[in-house]
Amino acid sequence: QQQAIINELEDATVTYHETYEAHAVLTRKIEMAKEVAAIQKNIETLVKQLADKKQIADGAQQKLQNMEQQIRSNQAAFLAASLHHGEACPVCGSTEHPAIHNSEAFTIDENALEHLRQEGDRAMQSFYQVNSKLDVEKAALEQKRNALELLNVDLSQLHYYEQQLAELTEQLTKQKQQQEQLITEKKTIAQLIESKEVLQGRIEKGQQYVVDIDKQYAQEKGKLEQSEQSLLPQVSTLDEVTQELAIQQQKHRHLKSAIQSALEAMQKI
């Protein structure tokens, strides 16, 4: 029985390790699948942020371009105001001015212009930062996808993987309980075997005790027979013979009672 339990425990241990390894592999698959899903979601968020940042940067650049265009228009208006027929143009050198620029000049606030430039720089910097993060996430996604391919993981089967993991977890719990039960039974059997060896030693001692009592009984019985044979010549009356026989018989009964007690004590061991 002990060997049967040992064999069963060894088989249960092998099964537990196999289930544990399958559980670990499936756990890793699910973790990686979730990591990929998280990266994909992060990429979607970054794409939206990038579009927003681009719109803000384009708006800032457009405002700056409009103001710079106004500056050039002001310069043209100032130049046009200084042109006269017959005088050379300071830009092209022509003395004829058939289409003099006559647009109205607007006052340009230099502080406002600098603010637009800084605003445009910040918008572009923010755009490039988001774009850089997006590139990093895309690279990480590609790496994770390659790893998933090596593990033969299908992202669309994530829910199925989680169901499998729940089943394996339940199996591990039951197998662990079975292992613990077998270990307990193994310890119990070992204790029983140890107790059996102790009892066996006591039984052997009891049997030796009975052998010794039997020898003593045989010796006393021989003495009694000798006493009966030699009693008549030594004793003058029948009463003395009877009395001596009673004494010897009482000794015999005591000896027989001791043997019986020894046998009963041995059976209780």
Side-chain angles (χ1 to χ4, degrees):
Q1 185 179 4
Q2 184 188 22
Q3 187 59 44
I5 289 179
I6 291 175
N7 294 338
E8 187 176 357
L9 179 59
E10 290 176 350
D11 294 339
T13 301
V14 172
T15 302
Y16 177 83
H17 284 305
E18 291 175 350
T19 306
Y20 181 85
E21 290 176 0
H23 184 277
V25 171
L26 190 56
T27 300
R28 181 55 183 156
K29 287 183 178 181
I30 292 174
E31 289 176 351
M32 291 188 66
K34 288 183 176 180
E35 288 174 1
V36 169
I39 293 175
Q40 288 178 333
K41 185 175 181 181
N42 195 26
I43 287 176
E44 292 176 359
T45 301
L46 288 173
V47 168
K48 292 179 181 179
Q49 290 180 1
L50 190 65
D52 294 338
K53 297 295 183 183
K54 188 176 186 307
Q55 184 176 2
I56 294 173
D58 289 345
Q61 289 295 322
Q62 186 61 49
K63 290 179 181 179
L64 181 60
Q65 288 176 5
N66 290 342
M67 185 167 286
E68 289 175 343
Q69 179 61 36
Q70 184 62 50
I71 292 174
R72 289 192 293 271
S73 180
N74 287 350
Q75 291 174 344
F78 175 78
L79 180 62
S82 65
L83 289 178
H84 300 283
H85 290 289
E87 295 180 358
C89 174
V91 177
C92 64
S94 175
T95 57
E96 295 182 1
H97 315 294
I100 297 177
H101 184 79
N102 58 359
S103 63
E104 183 180 359
F106 292 92
T107 303
I108 300 297
D109 187 348
E110 291 295 332
N111 291 331
L113 177 62
E114 182 61 25
H115 176 75
L116 283 178
R117 286 172 178 167
Q118 292 178 358
E119 182 180 346
D121 290 341
R122 286 193 297 269
M124 289 303 299
Q125 184 178 5
S126 180
F127 171 81
Y128 289 130
Q129 287 176 346
V130 174
N131 190 58
S132 179
K133 290 181 180 179
L134 182 60
D135 290 339
V136 171
E137 291 296 319
K138 287 181 177 179
L141 179 62
E142 184 65 21
Q143 184 179 5
K144 292 292 184 181
R145 281 177 173 172
N146 292 335
L148 288 181
E149 290 180 1
L150 293 176
L151 292 175
N152 195 24
V153 177
D154 185 356
L155 289 177
S156 63
Q157 298 295 317
L158 179 58
H159 181 66
Y160 172 70
Y161 294 151
E162 290 176 336
Q163 288 180 335
Q164 280 188 317
L165 184 64
E167 294 175 359
L168 287 175
T169 301
E170 184 178 356
Q171 290 179 17
L172 278 177
T173 301
K174 291 181 179 178
Q175 290 171 4
K176 185 65 176 179
Q177 292 173 348
Q178 181 186 11
Q179 250 188 338
E180 292 174 351
Q181 181 180 355
L182 289 172
I183 290 173
T184 301
E185 291 179 1
K186 181 182 177 182
K187 290 180 179 179
T188 302
I189 290 177
Q191 292 173 352
L192 289 175
I193 291 175
E194 183 179 356
S195 300
K196 179 182 177 182
E197 292 174 352
V198 173
L199 290 175
Q200 185 65 33
R202 292 181 180 178
I203 291 173
E204 291 175 356
K205 289 181 180 180
Q207 290 174 342
Q208 184 61 43
Y209 179 72
V210 171
V211 170
D212 295 340
I213 292 296
D214 285 340
K215 289 181 179 180
Q216 186 178 357
Y217 173 74
Q219 292 174 357
E220 294 297 329
K221 183 178 180 182
K223 292 179 181 180
L224 179 60
E225 292 174 351
Q226 291 178 359
S227 298
E228 289 176 349
Q229 292 176 0
S230 61
L231 185 61
L232 289 176
Q234 297 176 2
V235 182
S236 59
T237 64
L238 181 60
D239 290 339
E240 291 177 347
V241 172
T242 303
Q243 184 179 2
E244 185 65 23
L245 285 173
I247 292 172
Q248 296 298 328
Q249 287 174 352
Q250 185 176 8
K251 289 181 178 180
H252 181 266
R253 284 194 297 271
H254 285 321
L255 183 58
K256 187 177 180 180
S257 177
I259 294 174
Q260 183 64 33
S261 298
L263 291 173
E264 291 176 356
M266 185 187 68
Q267 291 175 354
K268 291 180 180 179
I269 294 177

